[in-house]
Amino acid sequence: MKKLLLACSLLLSLPVLAETNVQGNIELSSEKGVERHYYHFGVQRVHSYSSIAYRVTNTGTTPLNMLRATIGGTNYGASTNCRTLQPGERCSFRIDYRPFFEGYHTGRFILTFDQDSHIVVDVSGQAVR
């Protein structure tokens, strides 16, 4: 079975009422299927903005094709420049949290590649006035 390895670099810092960038590492292989992660944006003010940025590197030996990127949940958005990654190439994606009302909010970002490789990031945050 082919081994695909993705390394995601995640830009991290503590999100307290301000814009956020987080840093960390995620590895994904086609044998795992789904690689799950969680990020909590913390407490922030209504109408403020925080984001978490990821860098994805194809560390495998074959091209990796991104099939889709989806985000679910109120107050969350996402963007990506991922398409086809040749071995050694990189792309990135970002998850944004912009609460419009008070409360605890949850969401899920899914980045799907061919060969049944997925990155799932469950996100949450709390908005206050």
Side-chain angles (χ1 to χ4, degrees):
M1 175 178 257
K2 289 184 197 177
K3 279 184 131 180
L4 289 180
L5 188 62
L6 289 181
C8 293
S9 296
L10 160 65
L11 307 167
L12 266 167
S13 68
L14 292 176
V16 181
L17 308 176
E19 188 170 329
T20 303
N21 289 314
V22 179
Q23 188 164 0
N25 294 308
I26 298 173
E27 292 184 354
L28 174 71
S29 73
S30 61
E31 293 156 348
K32 289 183 185 177
V34 177
E35 181 72 19
R36 294 187 183 278
H37 297 273
Y38 175 77
Y39 183 73
H40 182 62
F41 283 95
V43 177
Q44 65 182 64
R45 297 206 183 276
V46 172
H47 301 295
S48 64
Y49 170 85
S50 291
S51 69
I52 179 173
Y54 292 81
R55 191 174 23 194
V56 180
T57 304
N58 181 356
T59 59
T61 58
T62 59
L64 194 58
N65 299 301
M66 195 215 44
L67 302 176
R68 69 188 146 278
T70 58
I71 185 78
T74 305
N75 301 302
Y76 294 98
S79 61
T80 183
N81 66 355
C82 296
R83 300 293 177 259
T84 298
L85 293 176
Q86 298 299 323
E89 287 185 335
R90 294 181 184 169
C91 69
S92 61
F93 65 89
R94 187 181 76 217
I95 301 171
D96 303 319
Y97 177 49
R98 190 171 293 182
F100 294 104
F101 54 90
E102 291 178 277
Y104 188 78
H105 308 113
T106 61
R108 175 173 281 176
F109 177 79
I110 302 172
L111 188 60
T112 303
F113 291 92
D114 56 359
Q115 302 184 34
D116 288 329
S117 297
H118 310 277
I119 296 172
V120 177
V121 182
D122 288 313
V123 291
S124 64
Q126 183 176 359
V128 296
R129 292 232 174 250

